[in-house]
Amino acid sequence: MPDHSTTSDPTAAPAAAANPTQRATKAVIPAAGLATRFLPASKAVPKELFPVVDKPALQYIVEEAAAAGIGDVLLITGRGKSSMVDHFDRRLDLEAALEAKGDIERLEAVRRPGELAALHSSRQPEPLGLGHAVSCAEDHVGAAPFAVLLGDDLIDERDPLLPTMLDLQARTGGVVLALLEVPWSEVHKYGVASVQPADENVDGAEIVQVTGLVEKPARADAPSNLILVGRYVLPASIFDAIRRTEPDKRGEIQLTDAMVRLLNEGTPVHGVVFRGRRYDTGDPTGYLKAVVQLASARDDIGPGFREWLARYVADGFTEQPPTNGQ
């Protein structure tokens, strides 16, 4: 992949100005990947529908968008992933059975996904990179700014991030990225931002101006330890930038490359440094951590689960036979 350690060129032609008062009202969730790290489980069941406690990971993402005031969500799907759309559809037979039993709590839980947002889908014909996946949303998004939420990153609802990003993008009209500080020993795994202080302020959030992006740098070459996480708010000009972006050595069109192009052409790029709780479900270990952490935080099942977990750890991760009928 080409080196993205670039800075804004003041002599470049400025990008087309976005309406600085227009707040994004649509979100795009790219979900066409093959999820090979979760095979064989992901062969027939999309990874985005794997339960994180008792809700699919995808529902957490749509709930996050809805809580930020976004009422229109587009799923970018792939072959064999139509069940993701089905999850947000009605199941009248199931609802009728629950209603007949008087199970109102589960009835409301079953209905909730379909009430979160207007859900649409678009098929990515083949997995050609995140930039290509985002380009599949152009007809739906039109000329308005929009949010992109990646399904591997879950943001705890107690630490909202997206509203700040939407407000900032409405003010600047450019690209807004979510940034996370990681140990320097981990920067080689991620896209990393070079930054400088920003004049912008939104509700006291830590905001920086992004001057460059580099993909998976060696520790010695990393411009900072601020990595990109899976939340972006983008102007519609990103679609033209994607069209002008060459595929990388794997034949994929990367969103980072297109954002660098906009940066070099004068589009402002800002980052919101996130200090809250984020769960990385992109690999089995991260997924299991997310399940344990979110289950432990629940008011209904958390106390009993934490008690069992403490015993399990104290017993050296060996399950003991039940005692006293427990």
Side-chain angles (χ1 to χ4, degrees), residues 35-280:
T36 54
R37 284 177 287 186
F38 284 87
L39 288 171
S42 58
K43 177 183 177 182
V45 179
K47 176 175 69 70
E48 294 82 2
L49 292 185
F50 286 8
V52 181
V53 189
D54 55 2
K55 286 191 301 189
L58 181 60
Q59 184 172 331
Y60 284 90
I61 305 296
V62 177
E63 287 177 345
E64 179 188 353
I70 290 178
D72 185 307
V73 174
L74 177 69
L75 293 181
I76 306 299
T77 67
R79 185 180 300 277
K81 290 199 160 188
S82 59
S83 56
M84 292 190 299
V85 179
D86 293 341
H87 177 72
F88 295 90
D89 201 355
R90 297 286 300 272
R91 269 289 305 272
L92 297 181
D93 56 336
L94 179 58
E95 292 178 23
L98 292 171
E99 190 168 14
K101 291 170 57 178
D103 195 341
I104 303 303
E105 182 177 353
R106 287 189 175 87
L107 176 61
E108 292 176 348
V110 166
R111 285 177 172 169
R112 176 168 170 75
E115 298 170 347
L116 292 171
L119 196 86
H120 311 271
S121 66
S122 177
R123 175 73 67 89
Q124 185 183 19
E126 54 183 319
L128 294 176
L130 180 56
H132 181 265
V134 170
S135 74
C136 296
E138 183 172 9
D139 288 344
H140 184 80
V141 168
F146 62 102
V148 174
L149 294 82
L150 303 189
D152 286 346
D153 288 301
L154 302 186
I155 303 298
D156 197 297
E157 64 181 1
R158 295 167 292 182
D159 303 313
L161 167 65
L162 191 55
T164 300
M165 297 180 67
L166 294 170
D167 290 344
L168 178 60
Q169 199 281 336
R171 179 181 299 181
T172 64
V175 172
V176 175
L177 309 173
L179 302 177
L180 183 72
E181 189 173 14
V182 300
W184 284 93
S185 59
E186 296 183 11
V187 294
H188 67 282
K189 304 176 184 177
Y190 305 99
V192 178
S194 56
V195 302
Q196 64 185 31
D199 295 331
E200 301 291 338
N201 184 287
V202 178
D203 296 330
E206 186 175 352
I207 296 171
V208 294
Q209 182 178 350
V210 176
T211 59
L213 298 169
V214 56
E215 187 69 23
K216 297 181 180 179
R219 175 173 177 169
D221 299 326
S224 77
N225 62 338
L226 293 174
I227 67 166
L228 278 66
V229 293
R231 298 295 181 273
Y232 313 82
V233 185
L234 303 171
S237 56
I238 192 68
F239 296 120
D240 178 64
I242 292 172
R243 275 190 290 273
R244 295 184 287 125
T245 296
E246 295 294 326
D248 64 12
K249 61 185 179 182
R250 296 181 299 178
E252 297 183 347
I253 299 173
Q254 299 300 341
L255 182 62
T256 301
D257 291 348
M259 293 191 298
V260 166
R261 182 178 290 276
L262 288 184
L263 174 67
N264 288 336
E265 292 174 351
T267 297
V269 180
H270 291 87
V272 177
V273 181
F274 183 58
R275 305 288 184 187
R277 286 160 282 201
R278 166 247 187 185
Y279 312 101
D280 182 358

